Amino acid sequence: MLRVVDVSFAYGGQHVLRDVSFVVPRGRIVGLLGPNGSGKTTLLRIVAGTLRPLRGHAEIDGADVTTLSRRDVARRLAVVPQETHSAFDFKVQDIVLMGRYPHLRAFEIEGPNDLAIAREALAATGTLSLERRPFNTLSGGEKQRVVIAGALAQAAEVLLLDEPTASLDLGSQLDIAALLLRLNRDRGTTMIVCTHDLNFAASLCAELVLIRQGRVLALGATADVLTPENIRALYDVRADIMFHPRAQHLTVVPIARA
Amino acid sequence: MTIGAFGALLVVVCVLAPLVGSTRISLVRAFSRSQPFADNVDAQIFFIARLPRVVGAALVGAGLAAAGVVLQALLRNPLAAPETLGVSIGASVGAVVAITLLPDFSIGGISAVPVASFTGSLGALAIVYGLSVARSRGMSSTVLLLGGVVLTSFLGAIVSLVQYLADFSQTFRTVRWLMGSLDVGSYPPIVAALVPLTCAVVGYATLPRALDLISLGPEAAAARGVDVVRAERVALVSASLSTGAAVSLAGPIGFIGIVVPHLVRLMVGADHRLVLPASALFGAAFLIGCDLVARTMFAPLELPVGIVTATIGGPFFLWLLFRRTR
């Protein structure tokens, strides 16, 4: 279980987050919505332990992430960024094996067990056939699936995803949504997903946390929180929201700037 | 396996290179125990006249190549090198000042020049690193690179100024030093260089896997459990120690830090657990080879090896740039 407790943060005197609190129960997918600059990415960094909050704390299974070592945090949760570039020609398999870093001691080389975990993660994301390909030659959607495989090899229990579909085409966006839903269903993977794509969030997330100017605007079950009033308060946009019978989830159609 | 092959290459080059020169010597006789060392001319030429130079070349080549690998990974840019970060020019300032102000100073066979150039290289890197962390959260690789470029031209002006004010013989010495030469005639400078090199090797040993992860970006590396700030500091300190040791031994020898890591990556792939040790070994063998060319091409004239590495490295660098931007 992840808990964010009264977290505040400021960059050089400028408040980015104020008293943000929410809980992510085990096995739940929670979406983090908010306009640009609302503090979503900062919040994700604080949960991942790569940024220290000014006040408050984030905890994983009852432990404050700032009291855990980098390796301890990395063994429990993995981060999937919007895009991943490699400066050198690593193979897909190398990228996934790098997820094993926090599980290895200094000077220890990955063993058969790590290789098995990596291959299993590749299989789970449908990328086993890409194993030997250079990572930099993959398409955006393929790269993202490989990075998710690396995240699974690192810490299969909790994933933090920062706009995982923002730079992908429509088909790849649907692939990633289906993959994340499958991982959640089959393995009970807990996820926090930052996104600007409201329909992606509606198709994926059981619960939403809406953040505006560093404060929680609303939180709760997606069906309760994803309302025209909240969208207007969040983005200053008038939108129609309806349940789409064929998609089987709420859909948001933006109408105009409010 | 791969590392063994590179190690074997280096050993072969180390043994064969001292055989080449103006006087022909025999390897068998040089290692023969049948006559005392004092009477064995082949052994004397091998061990006293030629081997120091070969060992010096090996240390310099290994130090520069390893520093190149580490800086490239840290900056996530295959074109980064000790010379692009201002480390070499820092060493040059130290050396030029020492040649001009302390021309006759010497302790135990080591003059002020290597000490000053070593200090200069560390100083330059401290300035550039200080700038890169001063204004941002974490290290800014853009500031590090731009700071290196600016520092290089600024310190270049200081080198010119000191040269301009120095007398003729000092200027001649500084010009020769700045060309980069492996005219290592004895063992004490090699032993002195081994001290910082050993420290650098200890630092390098902890780095390879962290460098793999940092090459995906510092944030991604931190999320996978790497202590990025610590790794960056270890990397920069080790890189400046090994560059400083190399430059203090031989002057600024260009392009080794770019050419060698790139060739090695083409051969062994991207994994720094292979790239780093293989580059050090190949860098050593490569510079011994370049020095062999420098010694023999216009024999009995011995070219400064910096001229040879630059004539190979310059076009190679352009080819690399062309290949990358295509």
Side-chain angles (χ1 to χ4, degrees), chain A:
Chain A
M1 187 173 77
L2 295 172
R3 270 158 57 92
V4 172
V5 185
D6 294 331
V7 162
S8 297
F9 190 81
Y11 284 116
Q14 183 99 15
H15 262 276
V16 184
L17 294 173
R18 281 176 197 272
D19 304 323
V20 173
S21 298
F22 63 91
V23 173
V24 182
R26 185 177 287 273
R28 199 72 54 89
I29 304 182
V30 172
L32 215 51
L33 304 183
N36 289 327
S38 58
K40 300 188 301 294
T41 299
T42 304
L43 188 54
L44 222 52
R45 284 192 180 141
I46 287 171
V47 175
T50 53
L51 200 61
R52 225 166 232 285
L54 194 64
R55 282 192 306 278
H57 67 279
E59 58 186 58
I60 178 163
D61 299 332
D64 182 343
V65 291
T66 55
T67 64
L68 299 171
S69 73
R70 287 266 75 251
R71 298 167 73 85
D72 279 338
V73 177
R75 275 197 289 257
R76 297 174 191 215
L77 60 83
V79 176
V80 176
Q82 182 180 333
E83 286 180 82
T84 301
H85 299 285
S86 168
F88 305 107
D89 282 331
F90 285 107
K91 300 248 188 308
V92 163
Q93 191 190 37
D94 298 328
I95 299 285
V96 178
L97 277 175
M98 284 186 207
R100 298 304 295 162
Y101 179 83
H103 301 274
L104 301 175
R105 290 187 304 274
F107 304 108
E108 189 181 352
I109 307 268
E110 294 90 358
N113 180 41
D114 299 296
L115 273 165
I117 289 171
R119 288 183 64 94
E120 199 265 333
L122 284 165
T125 56
T127 48
L128 196 52
S129 62
L130 306 174
E131 195 180 17
R132 300 262 155 218
R133 289 265 303 275
F135 178 74
N136 285 336
T137 65
L138 303 184
S139 73
E142 289 170 332
K143 278 186 180 170
Q144 200 60 301
R145 282 190 285 153
V146 168
V147 171
I148 291 171
L152 291 177
Q154 178 189 331
E157 302 231 322
V158 182
L159 300 187
L160 309 182
L161 302 109
D162 192 2
E163 304 192 30
T165 55
S167 51
L168 302 185
D169 63 52
L170 191 57
S172 303
Q173 290 178 19
L174 291 173
D175 287 345
I176 297 294
L179 169 61
L180 295 178
L181 275 174
R182 197 171 68 238
L183 293 174
N184 176 255
R185 194 187 60 223
D186 297 351
R187 302 160 166 247
T189 307
T190 309
M191 303 180 196
I192 299 182
V193 186
C194 274
T195 182
H196 287 305
D197 184 338
L198 300 177
N199 290 315
F200 173 70
S203 72
L204 187 64
C205 305
E207 291 176 23
L208 297 178
V209 177
L210 310 190
I211 295 188
R212 183 181 164 85
Q213 293 178 349
R215 293 175 192 275
V216 174
L217 179 77
L219 56 79
T222 302
D224 303 333
V225 175
L226 202 59
T227 61
E229 296 72 34
N230 279 339
I231 295 307
R232 184 167 180 153
L234 198 59
Y235 299 106
D236 295 320
V237 166
R238 278 187 287 135
D240 282 353
I241 298 178
M242 62 201 86
F243 184 81
H244 197 289
R246 290 224 296 159
Q248 285 290 308
H249 59 74
L250 290 176
T251 50
V252 180
V253 180
I255 306 298
R257 194 84 174 160

Side-chain angles (χ1 to χ4, degrees), chain B:
Chain B
M1 233 288 286
T2 318
I3 302 300
F6 280 100
L9 171 73
L10 176 58
V11 170
V12 169
V13 172
C14 268
V15 173
L16 294 186
L19 300 182
V20 181
S22 48
T23 314
R24 289 186 58 88
I25 60 171
S26 145
L27 187 62
V28 178
R29 257 180 287 139
F31 280 90
S32 152
R33 300 244 164 210
S34 58
Q35 52 182 329
F37 188 76
D39 300 333
N40 189 340
V41 179
D42 287 37
Q44 284 177 5
I45 293 177
F46 187 95
F47 287 105
I48 296 176
R50 292 185 189 159
L51 193 60
R53 183 169 181 140
V54 169
V55 172
L59 295 182
V60 170
L64 292 175
V69 168
V70 167
L71 294 174
Q72 285 148 23
L74 209 56
L75 297 173
R76 277 167 292 133
N77 186 336
L79 301 182
E83 53 264 40
T84 51
L85 290 188
V87 182
S88 300
I89 193 78
S92 301
V93 171
V96 169
V97 168
I99 289 170
T100 309
L101 300 182
L102 300 164
D104 303 316
F105 183 83
S106 164
I107 299 176
I110 296 161
S111 77
V113 177
V115 178
S117 61
F118 183 71
T119 313
S121 67
L122 294 194
L125 205 76
I127 292 172
V128 179
Y129 179 69
L131 286 173
S132 77
V133 293
R135 299 278 307 171
S136 61
R137 207 168 53 78
M139 183 189 81
S140 159
S141 48
T142 314
V143 174
L144 204 62
L145 276 171
L146 287 177
V149 170
V150 173
L151 199 68
T152 299
S153 59
F154 174 74
L155 294 181
I158 292 185
V159 168
S160 300
L161 179 72
V162 175
Q163 278 186 324
Y164 191 80
L165 298 176
D167 70 34
F168 182 77
S169 73
Q170 287 163 347
T171 305
F172 181 76
R173 266 186 77 195
T174 60
V175 167
R176 272 300 177 84
W177 189 89
L178 289 171
M179 285 178 184
S181 165
L182 281 162
D183 199 6
V184 181
S186 64
Y187 288 104
I190 291 176
V191 174
L194 272 174
V195 176
L197 277 175
T198 308
C199 298
V201 167
V202 172
Y204 286 146
T206 67
L207 284 175
R209 202 51 175 163
L211 292 179
D212 284 343
L213 283 123
I214 285 175
S215 69
L216 303 182
E219 190 78 25
R224 285 172 176 80
V226 177
D227 186 341
V228 174
V229 172
R230 201 190 68 112
E232 281 172 355
R233 286 189 187 147
V234 171
L236 285 172
V237 169
S238 306
S240 34
L241 285 175
S242 78
T243 308
V247 180
S248 66
L249 204 55
I253 293 175
F255 294 106
I256 298 289
I258 291 174
V259 173
V260 170
H262 192 82
L263 286 176
V264 169
R265 284 196 176 97
L266 286 178
M267 288 185 272
V268 308
D271 189 333
H272 285 90
R273 290 173 293 192
L274 290 176
V275 173
L276 189 52
S279 292
L281 295 169
F282 188 67
F286 184 78
L287 192 57
I288 294 171
C290 285
D291 190 47
L292 205 59
V293 174
R295 285 197 288 135
T296 54
M297 196 145 91
F298 297 105
L301 205 65
E302 291 188 350
L303 288 181
V305 71
I307 294 178
V308 175
T309 61
T311 27
I312 298 172
F316 181 85
F317 188 88
L318 290 179
W319 170 76
L320 207 62
L321 208 59
F322 175 73
R323 224 177 68 105
R324 272 170 54 80
T325 49
R326 197 173 38 184

